[in-house]
Structure formats: C-alpha cells, structure tokens
Amino acid sequence: VTSYDLLKRDINLYDGKVFEYEIIDEAQYIKNQTTAAAKAVKLIRSKAKFALTGTPIENRLSELWSIFDYLMPGFLYGYDVFKNEFETPIVKYQDEEAMARLQKMVRPFILRRLKKDVLKDLPEKLEENRVVKFDEKQQKLYDAQVLHMKNELASSDDKDFNKKKIEILAELTRLRQVCCDPRLCYDNYDGSSAKLDSCMELIQSAIDGGHRMLLFSQFTSMLELLEKRLDAENIEYYKITGETSKQKRMELVKQFNEGTVPVFLISLKAGGVGLNLIGADMVIHYDPWWNKAAQNQATDRAHRIGQKHAINVYQLIAEETIEQKICELQQVKEDLAEEVLSGEGISSTQFNKDEIMNLLEK
C-alpha cells in the first residue's frame, strides 16, 4: 500500500519484485502517460492489474489509452497508432466505425457501476444553474476583454494561433476572472461583482434555512475575496487550498463534520478528491471548470456514503458570457466519455481557432 508520490520516489526498491495484484485507485492520476506517476505504476511487475476510477476520460481519449497501457500494454497499440486509428477519427471526424471498434475492444474489460445503481440509500442530488447578470460597469469591462481577444484571433492565421496558444489560454482565463470578480485582474476596479453579490445572497439564504455548504472555486484569489465578505458579515468558515497541509486538512474536515460552521471554502484542485465532507448538504460551484468530471468529483465530497440529506448543487453562471459556453463544452466532454463507455453518437472536444472564437460569442 503506497501513494503515487511515494511510488515515484521509491520505484528502484521494487526492482526484482513480482506481485500477485497491482490495484491503482483514482486511476485518472496516470491519464498523462508522460508523467512520473504514470511511468512508475507501469514499471511494477504483477500477475494481474486493476484500475479504479470514476473518470476514465476527463478531457481526451488519450487518457483512456494511458490507463489501458498500464492494464494491458499494447492492447490499444502504441499511442501514435491509437491516435491515428481512434482518437483523431473519432474526435475530429466523428467516425462512427472507429468509435464502434474502440467500444468493442474496451467494454469487456470495463466493469461499470453507476452511483445510483450501487448506493441505493444515497439521498438525491438536485442541480441548478444560477444565472447572474452584470451591471453596466462590469459588462463594459467584459465586452472590452472579448473585443481585445477577437482582434488578437482575427489578426492571426493558424500558424500564429498554434504559437500563441498559451497566451490565448491566459487571455481566456482573464475573461473567466472578469466573470468571477474584475478585481482578480484589475486592482483599481471599484465597481460591483454580480456573481459575488449573488453568491453572498445564496449563502445568507442557505444559512437562514439551516444549511451548511461547500463552496468551490478554481481561483484561490477568489476565495480570498469571499473570505473578506464572509468576515464583513460575521459568517464563520473554514478554508482548504493547495497550500493547506494534509494534517491540517484532516483536522478541518473533522471539525466541519462534527461542528456547526456553515461554510467551507475549497479550491477545486485541492479539494476535488479524498475528502469526506458529509457535514454539508449544499454545494456551490462559484465558477465552471472546463470538464464536468472535476466538478462532479468535488460535489461528491458531500454526496457520498453516510450522507443523510438531499444535496442541493448550485453552479453560478454569468449570463451571455464564456461561462455559458463552458457549460456547453462540459456537456460535450461528458458525452464523449459516455459514448465510449456505453455509447451513442460522437462529439468533438478539440479546441481550434474557430471554436475559441465561438466561446467569445454571446
């Protein structure tokens, strides 16, 4: 029994050892075949191998290939062959024949269990998108950023686009930050944040109704702004980010589950897996992430064995912005995973210049 981090460090100690079984949990950690974690688990020798994961495909088909490369090396060919025969035809050209072939190959080796099938006593999960509208000042700022990005994209050909991809993704992040709160990008912004105001109203209303909640954001700087508002309104809270030590995390989780503090602020990446927070009966996603799987895993910190109450999940979305487009993209990625595992139709998940332009349209 070990962790991915320890296995990477200790891999030389496993030389010459053969195990009966190798079982990896949260197998999405090896979704990128180039990482040290993926390489380490594939070096272990065992007679049988198992992979457990709730998200075998988060973003792209290469993630499924990496898991099978651990389970049965060569079964889905080398990655270059897999990309040419399956990934590109399916994602780029919606090739039904390639999809059917891939499904036929992988399905005998996948034992799929949906939560609703195995956790009969789990209370229901109710999901709602809360759409918020900018005031004039925030709208102007958002529109200016969109115009800037459109001009950048319009003036670049495909070759320039590929060179500038990192810069363009950084600009997309700025756009998403303006949706969250313009102060994340502009120190001198003195207007309001539609989403922050709406979130605080939701928190206060939930507390008045006797609810306790987990509040997730990808931006730790956004959590800091939320802290200031909570402090100003004398609302107690706990907080976990990537900088919180494992020991401190466990202490905070225990205190939350056994106590009455109503709000737990958590950065999406730091608290997306491994925490049991059944003390909450409400989840707020302050900003949507590119794939729904990461958000679902975060929601499952509360919606898990031991939970006695129905869970209300709120996703805050800025109206007529990139955030609404992200929600559409989430569905596309969710569909791709669903199609490979159970299968109907095909959807693309690749970003190209035209698709980023589409993200900027209202």
Side-chain angles (χ1 to χ4, degrees):
V1 179
T2 188
S3 68
Y4 289 101
D5 287 337
L6 287 176
L7 184 64
K8 287 187 292 188
R9 192 193 71 185
D10 299 339
I11 192 63
N12 291 336
L13 302 176
Y14 291 85
D15 273 354
K17 290 181 170 56
V18 180
F19 295 88
E20 287 291 325
Y21 301 101
E22 181 183 8
I23 303 168
I24 63 169
D25 192 17
E26 303 291 0
Q28 68 273 12
Y29 279 119
I30 69 161
K31 66 184 182 181
N32 182 343
Q33 73 263 29
T34 62
T35 61
K39 289 173 181 174
V41 297
K42 293 173 186 182
L43 286 173
I44 298 294
R45 295 172 64 203
S46 66
K47 294 175 184 175
K49 294 181 178 182
F50 296 88
L52 310 176
T53 176
T55 51
I57 303 168
E58 287 186 323
N59 289 303
R60 50 186 66 85
L61 281 180
S62 59
E63 296 165 3
L64 184 70
W65 177 87
S66 186
I67 293 173
F68 267 87
D69 187 49
Y70 149 74
L71 291 168
M72 305 155 70
F75 177 69
L76 289 182
Y77 315 107
Y79 177 60
D80 289 344
V81 175
F82 176 82
K83 185 178 180 181
N84 291 332
E85 292 200 15
F86 295 106
E87 190 171 27
T88 301
I90 288 169
V91 173
K92 200 168 182 182
Y93 303 111
Q94 290 76 56
D95 187 327
E96 297 284 354
E97 196 177 312
M99 173 64 92
R101 187 173 159 224
L102 179 60
Q103 288 168 341
K104 196 172 179 182
M105 288 177 77
V106 301
R107 278 207 198 137
F109 304 102
I110 296 175
L111 180 63
R112 195 175 186 213
R113 290 288 180 264
L114 300 177
K115 186 179 274 191
K116 62 182 174 60
D117 299 327
V118 292
L119 298 179
K120 304 288 187 188
D121 299 331
L122 204 62
E124 64 181 330
K125 178 172 70 173
L126 307 167
E127 300 186 78
E128 179 187 325
N129 281 354
R130 280 280 174 104
V131 179
V132 302
K133 192 167 180 59
F134 294 150
D135 66 7
E136 190 178 354
K137 193 166 190 175
Q138 193 173 2
Q139 187 67 55
K140 279 183 178 174
L141 200 59
Y142 179 84
D143 291 343
Q145 182 69 15
V146 167
L147 188 62
H148 166 70
M149 276 203 72
K150 281 184 173 179
N151 290 338
E152 284 281 308
L153 288 167
S155 65
S156 63
D157 56 26
D158 288 341
K159 194 175 176 184
D160 289 335
F161 172 77
N162 287 327
K163 278 185 189 171
K164 290 183 180 175
K165 248 184 182 172
I166 291 174
E167 292 167 40
I168 289 166
L169 288 173
E171 291 290 338
L172 279 178
T173 299
R174 284 174 72 81
L175 205 54
R176 290 167 54 225
Q177 288 175 326
V178 170
C179 292
C180 290
D181 191 308
R183 287 175 294 171
L184 298 182
C185 304
Y186 304 99
D187 292 336
N188 58 352
Y189 180 77
D190 58 359
S192 65
S193 163
K195 194 183 275 197
L196 181 57
D197 291 342
S198 177
C199 184
M200 291 306 299
E201 284 172 22
L202 181 57
I203 289 171
Q204 193 58 64
S205 168
I207 292 172
D208 292 345
H211 298 285
R212 303 175 68 218
M213 68 217 76
L214 312 180
L215 200 167
F216 291 96
S217 174
Q218 300 139 60
F219 304 110
T220 53
S221 47
M222 189 63 236
L223 295 181
E224 288 166 12
L225 293 180
L226 281 158
E227 281 184 272
K228 288 176 184 171
R229 283 291 290 269
L230 291 168
D231 287 337
E233 301 192 25
N234 294 315
I235 296 172
E236 288 186 284
Y237 60 89
Y238 294 126
K239 181 175 124 177
I240 284 178
T241 68
E243 293 177 5
T244 311
S245 70
K246 285 186 179 176
Q247 186 180 348
K248 182 66 174 172
R249 284 182 200 203
M250 292 305 108
E251 287 171 13
L252 291 175
V253 167
K254 188 170 187 290
Q255 288 166 20
F256 181 79
N257 286 335
E258 294 175 358
T260 58
V261 170
V263 181
F264 208 140
L265 303 174
I266 307 174
S267 65
L268 190 69
K269 286 299 170 85
V273 293
L275 300 179
N276 184 340
L277 289 162
I278 55 171
D281 62 353
M282 184 168 157
V283 176
I284 302 171
H285 291 289
Y286 191 89
D287 35 86
W289 185 232
W290 296 108
N291 71 58
K292 191 73 181 287
Q295 281 181 218
N296 287 342
Q297 283 202 321
T299 298
D300 287 346
R301 299 314 94 216
H303 192 238
R304 60 198 298 115
I305 294 170
Q307 180 58 261
K308 300 287 188 281
H309 306 284
I311 300 293
N312 287 286
V313 184
Y314 295 93
Q315 181 165 251
L316 303 181
I317 305 293
E319 187 178 35
E320 292 188 344
T321 67
I322 187 174
E323 292 194 332
Q324 288 193 318
K325 298 289 184 178
I326 288 173
C327 290
E328 292 168 17
L329 192 66
Q330 284 180 343
Q331 192 58 53
V332 165
K333 292 186 175 188
E334 208 169 22
D335 289 346
L336 178 70
E338 185 62 32
E339 285 144 21
V340 173
L341 299 175
S342 65
E344 327 252 323
I346 294 169
S347 304
S348 169
T349 62
Q350 289 293 310
F351 266 141
N352 59 33
K353 182 179 160 185
D354 292 338
E355 283 162 341
I356 288 187
M357 271 293 204
N358 182 49
L359 287 174
L360 303 177
E361 298 300 332
K362 287 187 179 177

